[in-house]
């Protein structure tokens, strides 16, 4: 009797896990459930180690936990009973405490009850604090921010970063994972605000953080490639109690994504914009059905997908610049003269007269048919 008590008291946690696993594998349904839970990302290894099983019909046999111990040994030995009560509470059909009993979810699979512990009160409090830190930036309605929609300028919201606590790789990683904020910087010149290009003072560079949901919303509307050609009225809130903020007219720049995880943003900077500053606008093709080459399977191999334009003050910023494909043949070289610029929009010094847009390509048989039709 003393040897059994000694063996039970000196049983290690490793033997407990081994015997619990042995009990799980005795039933195929329980093993399948454990395999499913082990593959689930929502259940951690610590949660799986805290699983306890008990049949609904009768109490488990004590020998399943410590080999050689019977139910009569538990009744006759108070020390052995106290040991089981402290280390194997499921052998008595109860959990380790009243609080633990309330923090357990019970699932029944093929007649086997599976108990999965819920987070403790301290863990729940920590998660609530984390959610509060995430929700403190969600009280602002972006649609109510000041912007000039008549000029095709949309609103955007950012917050000023603290240089002491929110600068650096580790702090930026915490902003992305915990606060759902994308770190970045506002820089560039703006003569309308007295900020010149030769001004390199720290006041012209503002460290900011932008909610990722606002950025993703704009990318869904205008796609990733055209997002950098948009103009926004960026409202920067410097403090938590700031309700007005400072408005800057900007364009997105240097959008960085995760190299592996699709759609995950890493960084987004903004550059100040003012009327008369060159901006790259995407090119779109029109009247393709009026092209003999493109009607027969021809296509344009683009060399430049954007054209640098200057938009005058008071003129709506175009979303795209149209290229007329009427009458294009195979091997035609498309240049700036085919672009249609709206009123108040002109090409910048970067887009000269010989600005190359692309070349029309296709099959040789299509080239012969097009040449025959041209001769007729």
């Amino acid at each position: 009797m003393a040897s059994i008590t000694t063996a039970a008291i000196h049983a290690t946690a490793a033997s407990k896990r081994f015997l619990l696993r042995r009990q799980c594998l005795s039933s195929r349904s329980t093993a399948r459930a454990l395999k499913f839970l082990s593959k689930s990302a929502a259940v951690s290894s610590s949660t799986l180690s805290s699983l306890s099983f008990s049949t609904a019909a009768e109490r488990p046999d004590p020998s399943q936990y410590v080999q050689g111990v019977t139910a009569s040994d538990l009744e006759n030995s108070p020390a052995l009973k106290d040991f089981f009560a402290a280390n194997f509470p499921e052998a008595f059909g109860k959990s380790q405490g009243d609080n633990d009993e309330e923090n357990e979810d019970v699932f029944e699979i093929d007649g086997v009850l599976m108990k999965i512990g819920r987070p403790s009160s301290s863990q729940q409090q920590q998660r609530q604090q984390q959610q509060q830190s995430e929700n403190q930036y969600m009280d602002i309605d972006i649609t109510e921010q000041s912007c000039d929609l008549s000029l095709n300028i949309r609103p955007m919201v950012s917050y000023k970063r603290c240089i002491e606590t929110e600068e650096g790789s580790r702090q930026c990683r915490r902003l992305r994972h915990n606060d759902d904020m994308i770190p970045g910087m506002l820089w560039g010149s703006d003569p309308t605000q007295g900020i010149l290009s030769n001004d390199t003072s720290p006041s012209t560079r503002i460290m900011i953080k932008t909610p990722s949901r606002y950025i993703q919303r704009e990318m869904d509307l205008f796609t990733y490639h055209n997002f950098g050609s948009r103009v926004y009225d960026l409202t920067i809130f410097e403090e938590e109690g700031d309700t007005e903020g400072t408005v800057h007219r900007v364009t997105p720049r240097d959008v960085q994504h995760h190299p592996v995880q699709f759609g995950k943003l890493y960084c987004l900077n903004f550059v100040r914009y003012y009327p008369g500053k060159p901006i790259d606008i995407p090119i779109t093709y029109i009247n393709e059905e009026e092209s003999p080459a493109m009607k027969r399977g021809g296509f344009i191999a683009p060399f430049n997908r954007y054209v640098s334009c200057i938009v005058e003050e008071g003129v709506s910023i175009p979303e795209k610049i149209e290229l007329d494909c009427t009458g294009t043949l195979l091997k035609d070289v498309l240049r700036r003269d085919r672009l249609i610029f709206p009123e108040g929009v002109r090409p910048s010094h970067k887009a000269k007269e010989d600005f190359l847009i692309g070349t029309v390509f296709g099959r040789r048989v299509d080239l012969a048919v097009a040449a025959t039709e041209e001769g007729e």
Side-chain angles (χ1 to χ4, degrees):
M1 187 63 180
S3 61
I4 296 177
T5 304
T6 305
I9 294 176
H10 291 282
T12 59
S15 64
K16 174 184 175 181
R17 290 193 299 267
F18 172 76
L19 293 173
L20 286 176
R21 185 181 301 175
R22 179 180 177 185
Q23 177 191 4
C24 297
L25 296 177
S26 62
S27 174
R28 289 187 176 182
S29 60
T30 307
R32 288 195 302 268
L34 184 61
K35 184 178 180 181
F36 170 78
L37 290 174
S38 62
K39 291 183 178 180
S40 176
V43 181
S44 61
S45 59
S46 61
T47 305
L48 290 175
S49 63
S50 63
L51 288 175
S52 60
F53 302 89
S54 61
T55 59
E58 58 184 5
R59 186 178 301 173
D61 188 3
S63 61
Q64 296 177 354
Y65 303 99
V66 178
Q67 189 174 5
V69 179
T70 61
S72 59
D73 295 335
L74 289 178
E75 296 178 359
N76 299 329
S77 176
L80 187 60
K81 188 174 182 179
D82 294 339
F83 173 78
F84 266 75
N87 295 276
F88 308 105
E90 58 271 16
F92 298 92
K94 58 183 180 181
S95 59
Q96 295 183 356
D98 297 337
N99 296 332
D100 297 338
E101 200 172 274
E102 296 177 357
N103 295 331
E104 286 185 348
D105 289 328
V106 181
F107 302 92
E108 183 175 355
I109 302 178
D110 295 342
V112 179
L113 297 180
M114 304 177 61
K115 297 181 180 179
I116 303 180
R118 298 178 185 174
S120 61
S121 58
S122 59
Q123 294 176 347
Q124 292 179 358
Q125 185 178 3
Q126 183 178 2
R127 291 183 181 179
Q128 290 177 359
Q129 294 177 355
Q130 179 178 351
Q131 291 178 357
Q132 291 177 359
S133 63
E134 295 177 359
N135 296 336
Q136 66 179 349
Y137 306 103
M138 300 179 63
D139 299 334
I140 299 175
D141 187 3
I142 191 173
T143 59
E144 297 180 356
Q145 302 305 313
S146 60
C147 64
D148 197 344
L149 296 178
S150 62
L151 301 180
N152 200 11
I153 298 176
R154 295 178 57 82
M156 181 66 71
V157 172
S158 289
Y159 302 88
K160 189 174 181 180
R161 280 192 290 162
C162 180
I163 300 179
E164 298 179 356
T165 60
E166 295 180 340
E167 185 177 2
S169 300
R170 182 174 298 179
Q171 287 75 12
C172 291
R173 190 182 302 113
R174 179 183 58 80
L175 287 175
R176 286 189 290 264
H177 290 278
N178 297 344
D179 299 337
D180 199 21
M181 290 285 181
I182 305 303
M185 178 186 297
L186 172 63
W187 56 281
S189 62
D190 188 358
T192 60
Q193 297 184 3
I195 303 175
L196 303 180
S197 58
N198 57 359
D199 188 359
T200 58
S201 60
S203 60
T204 61
R205 295 173 176 258
I206 304 176
M207 310 295 290
I208 60 175
K209 51 186 178 181
T210 309
S212 62
R213 61 185 181 278
Y214 296 155
I215 304 173
Q216 191 62 44
R217 182 202 60 181
E218 297 299 320
M219 287 189 175
D220 293 340
L221 288 175
F222 304 104
T223 72
Y224 162 73
H225 300 284
N226 300 335
F227 174 64
S229 302
R230 306 296 305 172
V231 178
Y232 294 92
D233 277 344
L234 180 66
T235 305
I236 300 179
F237 298 95
E238 297 187 0
E239 300 176 356
E240 295 183 1
D242 189 5
T243 58
E244 297 181 358
T246 306
V247 180
H248 301 265
R249 186 153 294 181
V250 299
T251 57
R253 188 70 58 89
D254 302 331
V255 183
Q256 297 182 10
H257 289 263
H258 194 277
V260 177
Q261 299 181 11
F262 178 76
K264 185 176 181 179
L265 295 172
Y266 252 38
C267 179
L268 173 61
N269 298 332
F270 292 97
V271 180
R272 294 183 178 91
Y273 174 81
Y274 55 89
K277 184 176 182 178
I279 180 174
D280 294 336
I281 300 179
I283 300 173
T284 183
Y285 308 135
I286 62 172
N287 298 330
E288 297 180 357
E289 65 279 358
E290 301 296 333
S291 170
M294 301 185 71
K295 285 195 301 184
R296 291 173 173 82
F299 60 93
I300 298 176
F303 184 80
N304 286 303
R305 299 178 184 271
Y306 302 86
V307 56
S308 179
C309 300
I310 294 179
V311 183
E312 298 178 358
E313 187 174 0
V315 178
S316 177
I317 299 175
E319 295 185 2
K320 296 180 180 179
I321 298 296
E322 297 178 346
L323 183 142
D324 190 6
C325 299
T326 303
T328 55
L329 302 176
L330 294 177
K331 295 188 177 181
D332 280 356
V333 179
L334 308 180
R335 298 191 181 274
R336 197 191 73 177
D337 56 349
R338 285 188 172 272
L339 294 176
I340 303 175
F341 292 96
E343 185 178 358
V345 180
R346 68 179 190 273
S348 68
H349 65 280
K350 297 181 181 179
K352 300 180 180 180
E353 293 183 359
D354 58 347
F355 179 75
L356 178 60
I357 300 174
T359 307
V360 182
F361 285 97
R363 297 180 299 177
R364 291 180 179 270
V365 62
D366 296 334
L367 179 62
V369 172
T372 304
E373 292 184 354
E374 184 180 1
E376 295 177 354

